[in-house]
Amino acid sequence: MNAVRCCVWEITLACNLRCLHCGATAGRARPDELTPAEALCLADDLSALPCAEVTLMGGELFLRPDWFAIAGRLRAGGVGLVVFSNGWLIDEARIAQIRELDPRTVGISLDGARAEVHDAQRGVFGAFDRAWRAIDALQEAGLPVSVITTLTRRNVYDLPALARLLLARGIHWQVQVASCHGARMDRADQLTPFEFYWAGTWLRLARDKYDWPLLPVAGAHDLGYHSARLGNLLPPGCAWTGCTAGLDTLGIQSHGGVKGCLSLPDEFVEGNVRQQPIGELWHDPGAFALNRRFTPALLRGFCADCPHGPTCRGGCSDLAYAVTGSPYDNPYCFYRQEAGVT
């Protein structure tokens, strides 16, 4: 069994924003979230697994009072750390704590180049200004900053304006696609195949126009795949080899539920750390069948006959499942668009 390269841990579902595309429909904390003692125990278990890196997120992680103790326990166990936030609660005191933790990066969500675009997608007036103040303050403190932009029909055409804001800022920029799982997002807000391909084309043009240090922008795991025209839009040195959920990545929910990827809906929960330690869950030969037991015979639709199917395995399982009901039939694929199949 592979070691865990990356774990995404939703340490609380509490959130001060009401993001349109949030698959977990974050807002109030779950009534049965892990206690401080349980969370620290889980941090120790992740260290022992071993897990190379943990991304702490929410909801909004800073709304959990013991977030710093959890993060410190992970770092004491030799686990690398990434922090994801909407930026609203980042102040001088929290920046001092973040610096002490020495994360690989601090990710800030930014879904538009204008307040009216970002705030509409994030559900709260003032979110744009708070996010930018957080980015400025983090950079002034010498911390590495990343920006994550999640695309819906409401903000996809803001990409060029966002690029102008981020140009030469030394900020790594990840562009990803919203999938329609949560209660707030209407399917009318999901990108159309045309808009999806437009985003890929824009990203290709931006990569060609700007050197990587000037605008380090890349598509996420759900923006592809196998285009003959657009090339590889993942970060330099990376190539798409299929969904890694349950192979070298896992996700943990705030109440202890475990999935191969935190973005996947609850149909893919493998167990709970309250009933079975994370190490046992990870090494269970019957767990994470989505990818561990994949065979090309599982592919559906266009993917079933695609020459890239055996290695691509249908692209992002979460996005495919959200759109078609199968993790092995993904219409959000550059190769598929170029073949004229929608």
Side-chain angles (χ1 to χ4, degrees):
M1 189 62 60
N2 292 342
V4 179
R5 175 178 56 85
C6 177
C7 168
V8 181
W9 183 356
E10 166 205 271
I11 64 171
T12 181
L13 200 62
C15 193
N16 49 341
L17 303 187
R18 296 296 181 268
C19 303
L20 170 78
H21 56 275
C22 180
T25 317
R28 295 182 178 180
R30 290 186 174 95
D32 57 346
E33 292 190 340
L34 297 178
T35 66
E38 288 173 327
L40 292 177
C41 181
L42 177 56
D44 291 339
D45 288 346
L46 286 168
S47 301
L49 193 53
C51 177
E53 182 176 272
V54 171
T55 296
L56 293 179
M57 60 180 296
E60 174 56 35
L61 82 160
F62 297 124
L63 287 171
R64 177 158 176 143
D66 59 340
W67 77 269
F68 184 66
I70 296 169
R73 192 68 155 252
L74 289 166
R75 295 298 284 128
V79 179
L81 191 67
V82 170
V83 172
F84 272 12
S85 172
N86 59 42
W88 189 282
L89 297 173
I90 290 180
D91 56 16
E92 189 174 320
R94 289 195 174 91
I95 287 175
Q97 291 176 312
I98 295 169
R99 288 187 67 181
E100 185 176 336
L101 294 167
D102 190 28
R104 178 172 63 81
T105 191
V106 182
I108 302 295
S109 299
L110 192 66
D111 289 336
R114 299 162 291 156
E116 55 265 35
V117 176
H118 178 84
D119 292 357
Q121 185 144 308
R122 292 281 155 179
V124 174
F125 177 78
F128 178 80
D129 292 336
R130 291 281 193 126
W132 266 112
R133 283 204 293 270
I135 290 169
D136 286 338
L138 290 163
Q139 287 202 297
E140 287 173 8
L143 285 159
V145 178
S146 301
V147 157
I148 302 95
T149 299
T150 303
L151 298 181
T152 68
R153 300 195 72 190
R154 300 189 184 200
N155 70 340
V156 61
Y157 294 116
D158 240 32
L159 284 174
L162 264 170
R164 291 191 289 272
L165 287 180
L166 296 173
L167 194 63
R169 288 288 302 259
I171 295 172
H172 283 250
W173 182 19
Q174 175 178 294
V175 180
Q176 59 193 33
V177 179
S179 55
C180 193
H181 286 312
R184 300 190 190 109
M185 184 170 168
D186 190 279
R187 289 199 176 272
D189 289 313
Q190 184 91 47
L191 291 185
T192 66
F194 172 84
E195 290 162 337
F196 171 81
Y197 198 85
W198 181 91
T201 301
W202 179 86
L203 193 55
R204 176 74 273 156
L205 293 173
R207 292 276 287 265
D208 290 342
K209 182 176 181 179
Y210 300 111
D211 292 335
W212 181 259
L214 195 62
L215 186 68
V217 58
H221 56 278
D222 51 14
L223 199 66
Y225 313 84
H226 301 291
S227 171
R229 302 170 187 167
L230 305 181
N232 184 15
L233 300 180
L234 293 170
C238 298
W240 180 254
T241 56
C243 175
T244 62
L247 298 179
D248 65 5
T249 62
L250 62 86
I252 302 175
Q253 297 173 291
S254 61
H255 58 358
V258 176
K259 313 174 189 179
C261 169
L262 195 58
S263 296
L264 288 166
D266 285 350
E267 292 92 315
F268 293 92
V269 169
E270 303 288 338
N272 192 291
V273 297
R274 283 183 166 130
Q275 283 77 52
Q276 190 176 9
I278 191 65
E280 289 184 11
L281 270 167
W282 181 253
H283 293 292
D284 184 342
F288 307 103
L290 172 68
N291 286 317
R292 292 184 185 180
R293 295 187 180 182
F294 170 81
T295 69
L298 292 170
L299 295 170
R300 295 290 180 268
F302 179 87
C303 295
D305 298 316
C306 177
H308 301 291
T311 53
C312 180
R313 289 183 276 116
C316 171
S317 300
D318 168 62
L319 188 56
Y321 188 82
V323 177
T324 66
S326 168
Y328 308 113
D329 180 14
N330 191 347
Y332 287 85
C333 164
F334 296 148
Y335 182 83
R336 185 168 179 164
Q337 300 304 311
E338 290 165 0
V341 179
T342 59

